[in-house]
Amino acid sequence: MSSKILVTGGLGYIGSHTSVELIQQGFEIIIVDDLSNSNTDVLEGINKITGITPKFVNLDLRNKSDVNRLFENHQDLNGIIHFAASKAVGESVERPLDYYENNLSCLIYLLQAIENKGQEFSFIFSSSCTVYGQADELPITEQEPIKKAQSPYGNTKQIGEEILFDNTRSNELLKVISLRYFNPIGGHPSIKIGELPKGKPQNLVPFITQTAAGLHEIINVFGDDYPTRDGTCVRDYIHVVDLAKAHVVGLKRMMADEQIENFEVFNLGTGKGNTVLEVIKAFEKVSGVSLNYKIVDRRVGDIVAAFADTTKANKTLGWEAKSDLEEALKTAWEWEKKIRNIKPNISL
Ligand code: NAD
Ligand code: WQD
């Protein structure tokens, strides 16, 4: 299959892991990233895993003329995986306009450039389980109603999906798969790439690994009075490499004209929910490090429980998550140790 794929945000956490999978599956890729939440060392990591350094363009996708020039310079592009976005939920509440501008203007400029090409084009969108809010039914299927977004960030994912759906109706050459990720964790088993949060992490797993590495004294567990098996919130933690592989499968589906509709949505999770305390215990088991944690008040905006019904992705894409929580946590810990220069002691 001769395919040239644009990977926006390809130096970021999920984008870098997906770039590796794409290269390993024979795709030619161009990474576009403005380095607002990443750095170019990631290119070296990708090279160490695949033997190939992908073409990289340092570009802010909020600049419409740069986006158009990119498409003029690469007329043979026939697909895109659009990761580039701002993703911090709390920050989006403080700076909503920045989030609407970044997450929506980039999407619109890319879609305009694609429409101007007047050719078939495959588009994968990074969506999120956050579009469901607190679902009425668990596990969560793709039929679950979309609730009013809890944050401007969440709203950009809902609106992004609507923009894409509307565009598939007006542009019959456009094919879209929107992937709703649950909670991605871990890093590449080679330990050449991984998650690099800027500042103090808001997400649980990087906070755990940083605490184990000595960067924080204690983990705050946000609430233990939820109606769950141990009182802490339940999430579906999926290994980032499993997540990355689903993008390749989705791209191939569109390119082989296998879609039932031009706009399709898939949940990507393991199908299994774990509580915060279970994650902490699983980490202690695989790392041998004892963690300091305390129960504090609930975090505003947290939902009680979310985990995916992955039947649609399993049956339609033939994809399923292979790694379990412990395997994913091992890679997260090995990566943290590597970037903190702590001696490795786990064989992956
Ligand atoms: P990330 O921040 O690591 O990667 C995003 C990349 O996009 C970064 O490298 C950043 O520099 C780049 N970028 C941002 N704005 C840009 C712009 N205007 N122009 C060019 N590049 C730009 O984030 P991630 O965790 O890899 O997430 C990737 C996508 O998946 C995002 O759309 C995010 O909303 C979505 N998502 C992430 C999670 C998660 O928990 N990590 C969950 C669900 C959905
Ligand atoms: C997981 C659990 C916390 C940190 C977020 C976004 C969502 C999606 C994925 C992009 C929760 C608890 C956390 C800590 C804790 N991203 N926790 N102490 O909130 O499920 O989802 O990332 O689309 O949109 O909202 O993930 O990792 O922040 O939290 O107790 O220091 O861990 O309360 O129950 P979340 P998370």
Side-chain angles (χ1 to χ4, degrees), residues 87-89 126-131 151 153-154 157 181-185 201-208 218-223 226 232-237 274-276 280 294 296 298-299 301-304 306:
K87 65 166 181 177
V89 176
S126 291
S127 189
S128 168
C129 65
T130 200
V131 301
S151 69
Y153 166 75
K157 294 297 173 191
Y181 315 152
F182 280 66
N183 291 56
I185 61 164
Q202 305 303 309
N203 292 119
L204 178 64
V205 170
F207 201 91
I208 287 177
I218 194 156
I219 300 162
N220 288 326
V221 173
F222 299 134
Y226 286 98
T232 64
C233 295
V234 170
R235 298 288 185 274
D236 184 339
Y237 296 93
N274 285 103
T275 68
V276 177
I280 289 175
K294 70 168 190 290
V296 298
R298 290 179 175 198
R299 183 170 70 177
D302 268 340
I303 55 166
V304 182

Side-chain angles (χ1 to χ4, degrees), residues 252-264:
K252 287 183 175 171
R253 173 176 174 79
M254 288 187 282
M255 291 183 159
D257 266 332
E258 286 170 357
Q259 279 183 299
I260 294 161
E261 288 166 346
N262 276 2
F263 179 85
E264 293 179 325

Side-chain angles (χ1 to χ4, degrees), residues 10 13 15 59 62 66 82 93 200 216 258 292 299 305 324:
Y13 174 43
L59 184 155
R62 284 172 297 188
D66 282 355
H82 181 42
V93 176
K200 202 173 180 179
H216 312 289
E258 286 170 357
N292 223 352
R299 183 170 70 177
D324 62 15

Side-chain angles (χ1 to χ4, degrees), residues 282-310:
F283 179 84
E284 290 183 324
K285 184 179 162 203
V286 299
S287 67
V289 177
S290 183
L291 290 169
N292 223 352
Y293 67 88
K294 70 168 190 290
I295 310 294
V296 298
D297 286 347
R298 290 179 175 198
R299 183 170 70 177
V300 177
D302 268 340
I303 55 166
V304 182
F307 52 99
D309 182 323
T310 59

Side-chain angles (χ1 to χ4, degrees), residues 21 57 269 278 343:
E21 298 300 322
V57 183
E278 285 167 355
K343 198 169 161 282

